[in-house]
Amino acid sequence: NDNYTYVSGTILDEYVPVISVDKEILKPYTNESVSIGKNYYDYKGQEEDQKNAIIYHENTYLQNTGIDYVNKDVFDVVSILDGEVIEVAEKELLGKSVTIRHNNEIISVYQSLSETTVNKGDKVAAGQVIGKSGTCELNKDLGNHLHFELTINGSLQDPKNYIGKKLNEIN
C-alpha cells in the first residue's frame, strides 16, 4: 500500500535560460576591424588605464561601466551567449539598448545601437545579430560604437576578463 503524492504543473515560477557550462562567452561583434575606444574603469587598475576609462559629459566626469567598441563603419552587434531579451529601450543619453539575461548570474547590455533586431521576450542564440552599432549622446566623441556592459552575480565586471572564457571558468 504505497502512499504517493503526485505533482502536476511546474516547479519553476519563471523561465530561466539554461546554458551549458562548456559555452564560451563570445565578443559582442563579429567584425575583426572593431577595436576598443574606451575601456572599463577598474578602480584597482593602473592610473593611465583609469584615465582612459573616464567619460566627460556636461562638465561631469564619469567612470566607464563597460567597454566601448569602435569602428568607422557600422557593424553587427551579436549576443555573447544564448539567453532571453529582457529589455529593448531607447534612452536619451545611451541610445537604443538591448539587455539579455543569459542565466541567473549573467546579464549583458548593448547600448548606443542604431537599430535593434530583437524584441523583449525573444530567445536569442550565441552569435545571433541583435542590432547594429551607432552613436549616442553620452559618448558622442567616439562616433560609431557599441557600449557593452557585463553584469555577473549582480555586479558590473570588466568584459575583457570574461570574453573567450567558458562559463565553468567564471564561477
Side-chain angles (χ1 to χ4, degrees):
N1 194 3
D2 296 324
N3 288 331
Y4 292 104
T5 302
Y6 293 93
V7 177
S8 61
T10 64
I11 58 173
L12 295 176
D13 294 327
E14 171 180 331
Y15 169 80
V16 178
V18 176
I19 304 173
S20 166
V21 294
D22 290 343
K23 289 277 188 171
E24 184 177 297
I25 298 175
L26 303 176
K27 294 179 280 189
Y29 58 87
T30 55
N31 183 331
E32 290 305 317
S33 64
V34 170
S35 62
I36 294 176
K38 194 167 287 289
N39 283 307
Y40 172 86
Y41 183 90
D42 182 355
Y43 73 95
K44 295 178 183 176
Q46 300 293 321
E47 184 178 345
E48 194 60 33
D49 293 337
Q50 290 174 336
K51 286 180 186 176
N52 294 328
I54 295 291
I55 299 166
Y56 182 73
H57 179 73
E58 293 185 355
N59 300 319
T60 304
Y61 291 95
L62 307 164
Q63 298 168 349
N64 197 15
T65 56
I67 293 180
D68 294 291
Y69 295 102
V70 299
N71 194 37
K72 63 181 175 68
D73 298 320
V74 172
F75 56 91
D76 286 339
V77 174
V78 301
S79 178
I80 61 165
L81 290 164
D82 297 345
E84 180 180 357
V85 177
I86 59 173
E87 181 185 61
V88 177
E90 181 139 9
K91 302 181 180 191
E92 185 178 338
L93 289 178
L94 304 171
K96 292 182 178 152
S97 172
V98 173
T99 303
I100 300 174
R101 176 181 289 125
H102 302 288
N103 61 22
N104 282 337
E105 292 84 34
I106 302 173
I107 294 176
S108 59
V109 179
Y110 311 77
Q111 297 172 334
S112 189
L113 303 175
S114 60
E115 64 181 77
T116 60
T117 58
V118 293
N119 297 300
K120 182 178 179 176
D122 286 355
K123 308 297 185 270
V124 293
Q128 178 180 332
V129 174
I130 60 168
K132 296 199 178 286
S133 62
T135 60
C136 70
E137 190 61 31
L138 186 60
N139 261 332
K140 61 183 167 189
D141 59 316
L142 291 176
N144 178 62
H145 71 284
L146 160 68
H147 177 78
F148 175 70
E149 294 180 357
L150 187 61
T151 301
I152 298 179
N153 294 319
S155 152
L156 282 167
Q157 300 293 322
D158 184 347
K160 277 193 305 191
N161 296 335
Y162 296 92
I163 292 174
K165 289 193 173 181
K166 293 185 189 269
L167 288 178
N168 60 0
E169 297 175 325
I170 66 171
N171 289 330

